[in-house]
Amino acid sequence: MFVTYAVVTIFAALLYASAAVVYLIGHEFPKAQMDIKRLPRSWVPVFGVLLAAGALGLVGGFALPMLGLLATYSLVLYFLGALLAHLRVGSRKLGNWALFFLTSVAALAVNLLYHWT
């Protein structure tokens, strides 16, 4: 079970860390997404920091299991909020969202199975 937990957690951490970098370097993609969802562009760095914190929390969960659990719950909530932002403006382009959300759910599931059962 540890191998599954480690693989899913590391994949998720790398996915969210790469997204955080895209948000924090000022790339045009997150800015365009903010415009589509009618959210202020000033929130882009905040979302980048939240994604980075989630990625670090996932990795920190190897040493402190409760930190990993809190990070996975937080990422699931983050992406549920992203879904609401999509739906609020009628966006049906949910492919990227689904990948990120399902990865956070998988990380939560393996975290619960490995540490808390």
Side-chain angles (χ1 to χ4, degrees):
M1 183 65 201
F2 176 77
V3 172
T4 303
Y5 164 70
V7 168
V8 171
T9 300
I10 291 168
F11 173 77
L14 291 172
L15 180 67
Y16 301 131
S18 65
V21 168
V22 170
Y23 273 70
L24 293 171
I25 64 170
H27 194 275
E28 285 302 313
F29 179 76
K31 294 175 186 175
Q33 291 299 307
M34 291 291 143
D35 294 343
I36 291 168
K37 292 169 190 71
R38 296 190 300 251
L39 296 171
R41 282 188 172 198
S42 62
W43 291 7
V44 170
V46 174
F47 290 147
V49 168
L50 291 173
L51 288 166
L56 289 172
L58 288 172
V59 173
F62 285 107
L64 300 168
M66 184 59 72
L67 179 61
L69 183 65
L70 292 173
T72 57
Y73 275 122
S74 298
L75 286 163
V76 168
L77 291 174
Y78 175 94
F79 289 108
L80 287 175
L83 175 63
L84 293 176
H86 276 275
L87 297 177
R88 182 177 65 90
V89 297
S91 172
R92 300 292 183 248
K93 296 181 180 179
L94 299 174
N96 288 339
W97 171 84
L99 170 70
F100 281 84
F101 178 70
L102 292 175
T103 302
S104 68
V105 170
L108 174 60
V110 296
N111 190 302
L112 287 171
L113 288 170
Y114 181 69
H115 289 295
W116 311 103
T117 59

